[in-house]
Amino acid sequence: MRWTPGDRSNIEDLRGRSGVGMKAGGLGIGGLLVLLILSWATGVDFLSLLGGGGGGAAPTETVGTSGTVASSPEEEKLVDFVDAVMADSQMTWRDLLGDRYQPTRVRLFREAIPSACGFAQSASGPFYCPGDHYVYLDLGFFEELRRRFGASGDFAEAYVVAHELGHHVQSLLGIDSRMRQLQSRNPSETNELSVRLELQADCFAGVWAHATNKAGRSAQGRVELEAGDLEEGLRAAAAIGDDRIQRMSTGHVFPDKFTHGTSDQRVTWLRRGFENGTPDACQTFQ
Ligand SMILES: [Zn+2]
């Protein structure tokens, strides 16, 4: 991919204001247990990070809330990259949807952060929260993508961001709320319906990839696809299909537990969006 760093206006950098101690202020016995286990597992004394207690600074401010962040040049490049992908894909959706499109941002965090959708942890991967309309991302996920799922390359990472933005588009178009209505009317199809929502987000990521696949774009400061990029995205889609993830972790496949679709389905819909370049091609609910 070819891309140019921008002004980071598509990013809300909360890396220095998130972390394992985020929720310490309201820590119940369950939270305390989690910290004890974490301390045991990692050898780091998380309890001491809570502060001495009684009269001191509020515990929530003792860990990672300074707003400063220790980062490497590689990580800063990733921040620029995510910003560039978001900027380009948001411009693309504005072109496609006109006034129906409302811009959003990526909230970067580390380890854990509160959101309108609850307390988010890196372990659950990147996600979109319809409650506050933000995309949440811990940059460490890209490392996970490379190491655990063998999906490397900048377009593999861009696909992850574009998929989450696809959920934002679904929210703006009312697709997700219609899906939840369907789910409450047909509880037995809850899982099948959420798979369709996920596959549509894959297709929407492909719609953006289609727009980037034009020579001369990078000269205008836009993202431009290069040879081999789509294959990286397709490999990533195949790598993070539910059947593959389940097989890796349990050795078995349970179709009733699929929430993102199989590797084949994800590849198919990403490709369909890429080939057609219009959201009309993404009718996963029909
Ligand atoms: Zn998703």
Side-chain angles (χ1 to χ4, degrees):
M1 278 173 68
R2 298 170 73 179
W3 58 278
T4 323
D7 60 2
R8 295 194 177 182
S9 59
N10 297 268
I11 299 284
E12 218 168 276
D13 193 350
L14 303 177
R15 286 175 298 167
R17 287 189 277 146
S18 50
V20 287
M22 251 335 267
K23 221 187 175 185
L27 200 71
I29 191 72
L32 212 56
L33 268 175
V34 168
L35 284 192
L36 276 172
I37 293 167
L38 271 176
S39 304
W40 171 77
T42 61
V44 177
D45 184 1
F46 286 104
L47 287 179
S48 72
L49 296 177
L50 288 178
T60 41
E61 288 169 15
T62 55
V63 185
T65 52
S66 64
T68 55
V69 62
S71 183
S72 63
E74 294 78 42
E75 187 171 330
E76 289 309 297
K77 196 180 167 199
L78 266 184
V79 177
D80 284 330
F81 176 72
V82 171
D83 178 58
V85 168
M86 274 295 279
D88 198 282
S89 45
Q90 296 208 89
M91 270 187 257
T92 300
W93 283 107
R94 161 72 70 179
D95 290 345
L96 287 165
L97 301 178
D99 287 345
R100 283 184 297 167
Y101 190 76
Q102 300 292 322
T104 180
R105 287 197 178 100
V106 173
R107 282 188 159 166
L108 294 180
F109 72 100
R110 278 184 183 165
E111 290 156 10
I113 195 169
S115 80
C117 299
F119 198 60
Q121 282 178 297
S122 306
S124 51
F127 69 99
Y128 173 75
C129 173
D132 57 26
H133 301 288
Y134 286 105
V135 171
Y136 288 84
L137 172 69
D138 183 328
L139 293 168
F141 178 76
F142 294 144
E143 177 71 21
E144 179 105 330
L145 198 62
R146 270 193 302 275
R147 275 198 324 201
R148 222 176 129 224
F149 300 110
S152 59
D154 49 8
F155 189 74
E157 293 162 358
Y159 153 67
V160 169
V161 175
H163 170 98
E164 297 309 331
L165 192 68
H167 287 312
H168 178 60
V169 170
Q170 290 172 324
S171 173
L172 293 175
L173 298 180
I175 295 170
D176 61 337
S177 48
R178 279 204 299 279
M179 186 210 65
R180 275 191 291 277
Q181 280 171 6
L182 280 174
Q183 283 180 325
S184 60
R185 265 185 271 142
N186 313 287
S188 63
E189 289 168 31
T190 297
N191 198 64
E192 167 69 22
L193 286 164
S194 59
V195 168
R196 288 169 187 266
L197 194 75
E198 290 304 325
L199 294 175
Q200 188 175 59
D202 282 338
C203 187
F204 284 174
V207 168
W208 168 68
H210 174 95
T212 65
N213 191 29
K214 288 180 189 75
R217 268 183 132 244
S218 76
Q220 300 159 10
R222 302 287 300 262
V223 172
E224 185 175 327
L225 217 62
E226 293 175 299
D229 279 335
L230 182 69
E231 287 68 25
E232 283 174 13
L234 293 172
R235 268 198 299 275
I240 55 183
D242 283 340
D243 50 345
R244 174 95 184 265
I245 293 175
Q246 286 193 6
R247 208 173 269 126
M248 280 176 72
S249 53
T250 66
H252 303 285
V253 177
F254 308 100
D256 58 319
K257 289 195 181 136
F258 288 175
T259 53
H260 279 80
T262 64
S263 295
D264 264 2
Q265 285 174 316
R266 298 199 76 166
V267 166
T268 299
W269 283 101
L270 173 60
R271 194 188 282 281
R272 191 166 300 179
F274 178 76
E275 283 167 1
N276 291 280
T278 161
D280 298 337
C282 303
Q283 309 285 352
T284 56
F285 287 92
Q286 284 174 5

